[in-house]
Amino acid sequence: MHRSRLETPTATIVVLMALTPALPNTLAAQGSDLRPWARGPVLEATLEATSGPDVILSGVWGIDVDSRGRVYVRDDQTRGVSVLSPDLTYERTLGRRGGGPGEFRHVSTVQILPDDSVLVYDRNQNRITVFPPGASEPAYVQGLPGGPYREVFKVPEGLVAIRTSAYEASGADVGIENERLLRLRPDGIVATALFAFPRKENLVYRRGDPRGGGAVSITSHPFGHRPFVRIVPGNTVRVVYASSLAPEATLIDVESGRQAVLSYPEAPTVRVTRKELGAAAERKSTRFARMLREGGPYVWPPLTGVVAGGGGLVMLGVRTTDRKVWEWASFRDDGTHAASVVLPSGVVVYAQREGRLLGTITDGFDTPRIVAYRVASDAREARR
């Protein structure tokens, strides 16, 4: 089972959960022997809205929502941030392509701040841009002297950032924990390293040069490890870390030294079918398709997503043996189960706010759509 290596003794770690093997079709009908960690109810979730053809997306990597229900989307195709109304119709694009103030080349973080300001981190330009609530022009732009970073988030009294190391043609980077979560001062200077963890697993083709150097080609591995790092909203610095390969999560309170663990070592085993492998290989170049096929057979990673929402709840998406549904389970910060919802498989939740879940689903043409689900009103009871 994968765990991160902490680099400082001042971190609080709470492993929130790990699931037992098979979750049958209807979670509510199962006994506690199959889901011993489940203490809360299975709540009804109703599809409330789906984005239409006016919202053109290619690959969604982040969603956040403000206090008025507006949805902010980080997408591969948009050189900015797509802003949607609460009913998921297109409203505007925040920013544009370029190098000036309010212009972006590669958006890698979108974060809604407590006052509804919007923080955007541009990895290529290594700077954060903050827009006031409802504004189209930035309040300020700040370069970060220690970057570039994969992602940057604002926290009380500074920033946290994820730094990743480069792939090397020699293969010297293999087997090391090559991403680090760093705490930055308000001026962007690195204050301390919080912990290290393995980066996202890719298919990697290395072509070394005996004289030194060489070339590396990479593409995403559809069945490989993926790390999840989320910032918990609040007045203290708390971070959630998880690996898709293990149905567990780590909640890190940077200011405290306490430590508690809750873990169940078993995980559901959902094998990748021949059809699923063939479909994934068809999306790759000839070289990577061959690498993917030769590396099989595969098992789907059990963890499909992590959401850190308000009210002290952390939501984990878990693949089930019923291929039609995934369970999204919410946990309190002491590791106890608060409630679950069951969503169609393929729905990846990115944000939760006031009983509403925002996520994505990909259609038969590999086009992502934004979806919104309304959770039954007694979800509020789960926070008590």
Side-chain angles (χ1 to χ4, degrees), residues 7-8 10 145-146 149 155-161 163 181-195 237 254-255:
E7 296 188 331
T8 170
T10 62
Y149 302 103
V155 296
E157 301 181 5
L159 304 162
V160 294
R163 173 181 286 162
L181 187 69
L182 308 174
R183 187 168 186 179
L184 312 184
R185 299 186 328 209
D187 61 3
I189 300 295
V190 176
T192 185
L194 299 178
F195 67 94
V237 183
V254 175
E255 310 298 339

Side-chain angles (χ1 to χ4, degrees), residues 258-381:
R258 293 173 301 143
Q259 188 166 298
V261 176
L262 174 66
S263 178
Y264 294 85
E266 299 293 335
T269 299
V270 182
R271 300 189 182 282
V272 176
T273 66
R274 183 177 300 179
K275 181 178 179 181
E276 290 169 334
L277 175 57
E282 286 179 0
R283 298 185 181 98
K284 304 296 183 182
S285 67
T286 301
R287 174 185 295 147
F288 286 121
R290 183 172 61 253
M291 292 175 62
L292 189 62
R293 292 181 186 277
E294 291 175 350
Y298 299 101
V299 172
W300 283 105
L303 196 65
T304 64
V306 177
V307 183
L313 295 181
V314 175
M315 176 174 279
L316 304 181
V318 181
R319 197 180 301 273
T320 76
T321 53
D322 182 347
R323 292 176 178 268
K324 296 180 181 179
V325 298
W326 291 350
E327 178 178 11
W328 288 83
S330 293
F331 290 81
R332 302 179 183 91
D333 56 11
D334 63 359
T336 58
H337 177 240
S340 289
V341 297
V342 178
L343 300 179
S345 61
V347 173
V348 178
V349 179
Y350 286 93
Q352 59 173 328
R353 186 156 187 165
E354 298 178 355
R356 203 174 194 224
L357 306 179
L358 280 303
T360 61
I361 186 70
T362 302
D363 62 22
F365 300 98
D366 285 339
T367 301
R369 300 291 183 193
I370 309 300
V371 292
Y373 283 85
R374 176 66 60 180
V375 179
S377 59
D378 56 342
R380 299 185 185 95
E381 297 297 324

